[in-house]
Amino acid sequence: MWSLIVAIVIGFIAGLIARAIHPGNDKAGFIVTTLLGIAGSLLATYGGRFLGLYPENSSAGFIASVIGAIIILFIYNLISNKTR
């Protein structure tokens, strides 16, 4: 349970950093950006566990969370641009 809380807190910060790093004109607001960051952190955490990079009950590191957030933000931009 604690690793999930840590992943959410790290994801909040990682989402803000991913938004600053990711190029392009994003129309997503603050709430969407933080939710995408949290999703990226959870992607990095559970994806890393699935691939055997992290032991059970540990969260992804900060760099991995930022990379996961950038991936989620990129996918979000692809989907949102197709619907416009």
Side-chain angles (χ1 to χ4, degrees):
M1 180 68 173
W2 183 249
S3 65
L4 178 65
I5 294 170
V6 170
I8 289 171
V9 171
I10 289 174
F12 172 75
I13 299 167
L16 298 176
I17 292 174
R19 171 82 177 232
I21 292 174
H22 187 269
N25 187 14
D26 292 333
K27 302 292 185 202
F30 179 76
I31 302 293
V32 173
T33 300
T34 55
L35 290 176
L36 293 175
I38 292 169
S41 178
L42 294 175
L43 170 75
T45 297
Y46 293 111
R49 286 183 193 171
F50 179 74
L51 294 174
L53 300 174
Y54 304 116
E56 194 65 33
N57 294 328
S58 66
S59 60
F62 185 72
I63 301 293
S65 296
V66 170
I67 292 170
I70 289 173
I71 291 169
I72 296 287
L73 189 61
F74 178 75
I75 293 169
Y76 173 78
N77 283 336
L78 284 178
I79 292 171
S80 67
N81 285 342
K82 286 183 180 180
T83 59
R84 291 181 191 169

